[in-house]
Amino acid sequence: MSVSDAGNRALKTRGLGVQRGGKTIIAGVDLTLSGGLVTAVVGPNGAGKSTLLAALAGALPCAGEIVLEGVSTASGKSPATWRVGYMPQAQTLRTRLTVLEVLLLGRREQLGWRVSDMDLAMAREMVAHFRLEAISDQPMTRLSGGQQQMVLLAQRLMREPDLLILDEPTSALDLHHQLAVLDRIRAYARRTGAVVVAAIHDLGLATRNCDRVALVHGGTVRSFGEPEEVLTREMVGDVYRVELDTYRNSLGRSVNIPVSAVLEPVQTENKSA
Amino acid sequence: MAWSMTQARAEDAYRHATARKAAQLGAAVLVLVILVLVDLATGPSGMSIADVWTALLAGPSGEDRAAATILWQLRLPQTIMGILVGGCLGIAGLQMQTILDNPLASPFTLGFSASAGFGAALAIMFGNFAWLPAYLAVPLSAFAMTVLACFIVYVIAVWRGATPEMLVLAGITVLFFFQSLQSLLQFMASPEVLQQIVFWLFGSMLKATWTSVTVCGVIMIACLPIIVRDSWNLTALRLGDANAASLGLNVRALRKRTFLTVALLTSAAVSFVGTIGFVGLIAPHVGRALVGEDHRYGLPMAAVSGAIILIAASVIGKAISPERLFRLASSPPSPAFQC
Ligand SMILES: Nc1ncnc2c1ncn2[C@@H]1O[C@H](COP(=O)(O)OP(=O)(O)OP(=O)(O)O)[C@@H](O)[C@H]1O
Ligand SMILES: [Mg+2]
């Protein structure tokens, strides 16, 4: 794939909505996600982040439109053949497949009866990239939560997706690995021009290590843009119901640090009646 | 440099592990072959190994009529049927445990044993005046009832979504339904008929004929393409439904397809020789313990393990009570030979 068509790839949604169990979970989402950039989806619990990502991945039926643009016809692909790598929110694995076997499954569509040298070489590269050498022949059940998460992420990268959708890929990772993994994802987006979206709870991580932020609240995108534009003190305080302090860091940038949760008075039976 | 070395080691480790699995499979096949030879060479007639060998070379129309009959009409079909039934139930068992994500599942979790039992009981009781000879009517009826049970479970599953919970619930419903029908028949049956029904319910290779071998073999071969095609998909399913689906797998379609394969394999196996429960439960565990969850190796290993278990049971059975086998070989055999 040439750099030129990597540059103008994009995923656009128009009036995207999802209903589950007769309830509207998300509605009226208009987004344009550019290729080559990592977009962080942030928002409080239950805001609809996972639902939005599942809809983008085609894993949930939805209303409205999702348009995948910019894959030039020269590359021989229609938008319908975008390769999607979607990682659902953390689940416990009960399989005794080894790390390398799990990585290989990322190439499920390409695997022949005998695993090809190319697929195996890709898996080896992932093992090296994610520093999984010590555990590459261990069954998944013997891995820690964070290790499992990294293996599943590496498995999605094995698919060489045009659209990479990650639901909280860093939720079980330590500080070092959070940063390392986001670096890796960012480098992947830059290199391939893929559209990358990741739900992230850590606003600091979203601000410093992602290119765009979509703030989801109450089933819709409240704000979208550069991290600093979106995650303002007022917006974060309002959406997350927290008090923030603003500091200046060594680079002279202002940094918002949450200091306490704003607790609403508990509604009593009498009041609501 | 350091990178390429660790990479090369990872590749070696994988190829090495794969080669080890293939070797284990080869060893298991070897064990099976030896057991098959022992099984063919032993029996109540006391034929020597040399006699067996001569009869084998002489073919079904060999000059020694007694030896030819024993080997070609009794021992060979029984042994081959044992291999086929063990293979079918081993594969079906592993497929079932994988699609239901439950190590306690077996081909009979979905009620196929009860339906086959009912079908057989029906034919044994009411089949006398039918135009079909009993040795065909009983397995046909068992097969038909299994297909019916499978159809009911399938319809429920399609209607309510083919989740593991729904499949198990539908299966248990079907199981109890056919079990009560079968109990009703047993209650109504005369003592002689009852004895025949109960004998059928005890699975036994003594019921095997070349007809059953052919039918079972054809069904197994017909299922092979699907089994082979879906072996990577079943491996992917071990990651859980959500992960498997996000690898581009149509999980529901896979479940339904595998379920139909299980139904076919199981009914082919049990219709002729009765219900042999534990093979479909144990063989998958043996297979997984030996070669892991990669279904490319797990499925053949479960098949070979199933066959080994059945043939070993037959060999041990003959060693324990050769005289009873002889006594019962002609008239209705006793439960002693259930496998
Ligand atoms: N299967 C479902 N049926 C009905 N409602 C659902 C279903 N799954 C989720 N919801 C509802 O949809 C809303 C959004 O859920 P979602 O999982 O998208 O939130 P989220 O932003 O990912 O939260 P979190 O940060 O906790 O992961 C929640 O109010 C939840 O109750
Ligand atoms: Mg979520």
Side-chain angles (χ1 to χ4, degrees):
Chain A
M1 178 180 320
S2 70
V3 181
S4 60
D5 50 303
N8 50 29
R9 248 191 284 180
L11 179 150
K12 290 185 182 160
T13 71
R14 250 170 275 158
L16 185 73
V18 175
Q19 297 222 333
R20 301 196 82 176
K23 216 171 61 167
T24 301
I25 310 289
I26 59 173
V29 173
D30 299 306
L31 270 180
T32 301
L33 308 176
S34 312
L37 300 180
V38 176
T39 304
V41 174
V42 302
N45 293 132
K49 300 182 294 296
S50 297
T51 309
L52 174 61
L53 294 190
L56 292 181
L60 275 183
C62 56
E65 254 192 302
I66 302 177
V67 188
L68 306 167
E69 309 187 323
V71 175
S72 73
T73 43
S75 70
K77 286 193 285 186
S78 72
T81 63
W82 274 38
R83 271 191 307 248
V84 180
Y86 165 51
M87 182 166 124
Q89 200 162 352
Q91 316 144 60
T92 42
L93 288 181
R94 303 196 307 160
T95 175
R96 279 171 41 231
L97 288 169
T98 67
V99 169
L100 211 66
E101 284 172 332
V102 171
L103 290 180
L104 285 171
L105 281 174
R107 312 272 308 156
R108 193 188 65 83
E109 289 95 333
Q110 289 83 24
L111 284 174
W113 185 259
R114 181 181 188 275
V115 175
S116 73
D117 288 337
M118 202 193 81
D119 289 335
L120 205 48
M122 271 185 83
R124 286 188 281 135
E125 212 171 297
M126 281 301 160
V127 165
H129 270 311
F130 283 85
R131 305 250 126 243
L132 301 169
E133 293 92 343
I135 53 169
S136 70
D137 57 354
Q138 291 290 309
M140 291 298 280
T141 40
R142 280 205 216 141
L143 267 50
S144 73
Q147 287 171 331
Q148 287 195 357
Q149 201 166 35
M150 271 190 287
V151 172
L152 289 179
L153 173 64
Q155 186 195 49
R156 288 346 189 260
L157 288 178
M158 287 281 291
R159 301 176 67 69
E160 299 185 307
D162 304 306
L163 172 58
L164 181 62
I165 298 177
L166 307 168
D167 201 344
E168 302 197 17
T170 54
S171 60
L173 303 184
D174 65 34
L175 275 178
H176 172 87
H177 285 107
Q178 287 184 4
L179 295 169
V181 156
L182 271 179
D183 274 354
R184 187 90 58 226
I185 295 170
R186 224 172 175 183
Y188 177 78
R190 298 271 188 288
R191 181 166 56 82
T192 60
V195 175
V196 180
V197 207
I200 291 177
H201 269 300
D202 185 332
L203 297 186
L205 207 57
T207 309
R208 290 183 305 272
N209 299 76
C210 297
D211 306 298
R212 297 283 182 275
V213 169
L215 178 62
V216 177
H217 187 215
T220 191
V221 176
R222 271 281 291 272
S223 176
F224 174 80
E226 306 260 349
E228 269 97 359
E229 295 166 16
V230 174
L231 298 174
T232 59
R233 184 174 169 155
E234 296 70 36
M235 185 64 103
V236 173
D238 177 35
V239 166
Y240 285 90
R241 292 172 295 132
V242 289
E243 302 252 16
L244 296 137
D245 252 355
T246 306
Y247 296 88
R248 240 162 238 294
N249 71 5
S250 58
L251 300 172
R253 288 229 193 118
S254 51
V255 179
N256 297 318
I257 306 284
V259 287
S260 66
V262 179
L263 299 174
E264 290 109 25
V266 178
Q267 297 247 321
T268 62
E269 287 288 308
N270 290 343
K271 256 188 179 172
S272 61
Chain B
M1 180 66 203
W3 254 32
S4 60
M5 271 178 62
T6 43
Q7 285 181 12
R9 231 178 297 134
E11 174 177 6
D12 287 351
Y14 181 79
R15 292 279 187 227
H16 191 248
T18 313
R20 200 178 57 232
K21 287 174 193 179
Q24 280 172 321
L25 194 57
V29 170
L30 195 67
V31 170
L32 178 61
V33 168
I34 293 171
L35 277 171
V36 163
L37 293 179
V38 173
D39 193 42
L40 284 178
T42 53
S45 69
M47 275 163 76
S48 71
I49 293 183
D51 291 346
V52 172
W53 186 246
T54 319
L56 194 63
L57 291 185
S61 49
E63 269 164 33
D64 184 347
R65 290 313 305 152
T69 307
I70 289 176
L71 188 70
W72 286 89
Q73 296 309 319
L74 296 174
R75 289 190 191 175
L76 263 177
Q78 285 173 18
T79 305
I80 296 176
M81 195 64 186
I83 298 173
L84 287 175
V85 168
C88 284
L89 293 181
I91 290 174
L94 181 55
Q95 289 182 323
M96 209 60 168
Q97 294 182 0
T98 300
I99 61 168
L100 298 184
D101 189 19
N102 187 338
L104 291 180
S106 84
F108 300 133
T109 308
L110 297 191
F112 297 155
S113 56
S115 54
F118 169 69
L122 202 64
I124 292 170
M125 265 187 87
F126 302 111
N128 297 339
F129 45 83
W131 45 272
L132 262 178
Y135 79 93
L136 279 182
V138 173
L140 263 182
S141 172
F143 191 86
M145 284 303 151
T146 312
V147 171
L148 178 66
C150 159
F151 180 74
I152 297 174
V153 176
Y154 190 80
V155 166
I156 297 177
V158 168
W159 172 46
R160 303 293 309 180
T163 61
E165 293 80 15
M166 210 56 231
L167 280 174
V168 170
L169 276 179
I172 290 177
T173 311
V174 167
L175 180 94
F176 284 134
F177 175 68
F178 280 103
Q179 220 157 45
S180 50
L181 286 182
Q182 182 192 307
S183 302
L184 180 70
L185 286 188
Q186 284 179 319
F187 176 72
M188 287 162 37
S190 67
E192 304 81 65
V193 172
L194 180 62
Q195 201 184 10
Q196 280 188 53
I197 294 177
V198 171
F199 168 63
W200 191 92
L201 293 178
F202 292 123
S204 165
M205 290 309 139
L206 292 179
K207 303 186 195 89
T209 61
W210 284 115
T211 316
S212 55
V213 167
T214 311
V215 172
C216 196
V218 164
I219 289 182
M220 193 177 190
I221 289 169
C223 289
L224 268 183
I226 301 177
I227 297 171
V228 170
R229 199 194 112 186
D230 276 336
S231 52
W232 272 121
N233 296 342
L234 288 174
T235 310
L237 196 61
R238 292 297 303 137
L239 296 172
D241 280 23
N243 277 314
S246 70
L247 294 176
L249 187 64
N250 186 341
V251 172
R252 290 192 167 191
L254 173 68
R255 254 205 194 92
K256 287 179 198 161
R257 205 159 57 226
T258 308
F259 165 75
L260 289 179
T261 315
V262 169
L264 264 180
L265 289 173
T266 312
S267 44
V270 302
S271 296
F272 290 100
V273 298
T275 49
I276 297 167
F278 70 97
V279 177
L281 181 64
I282 299 302
H285 286 271
V286 176
R288 263 199 308 266
L290 290 175
V291 296
E293 293 181 0
D294 183 340
H295 283 59
R296 283 178 307 158
Y297 296 94
L299 286 169
M301 198 55 152
V304 176
S305 308
I308 288 180
I309 293 173
L310 276 191
I311 303 295
S314 159
V315 169
I316 293 170
K318 287 185 204 173
I320 291 174
S321 60
E323 69 292 339
R324 289 188 71 196
L325 184 79
F326 183 55
R327 182 163 57 78
L328 293 162
S330 49
S331 60
S334 85
F337 308 106
Q338 65 163 301
C339 291

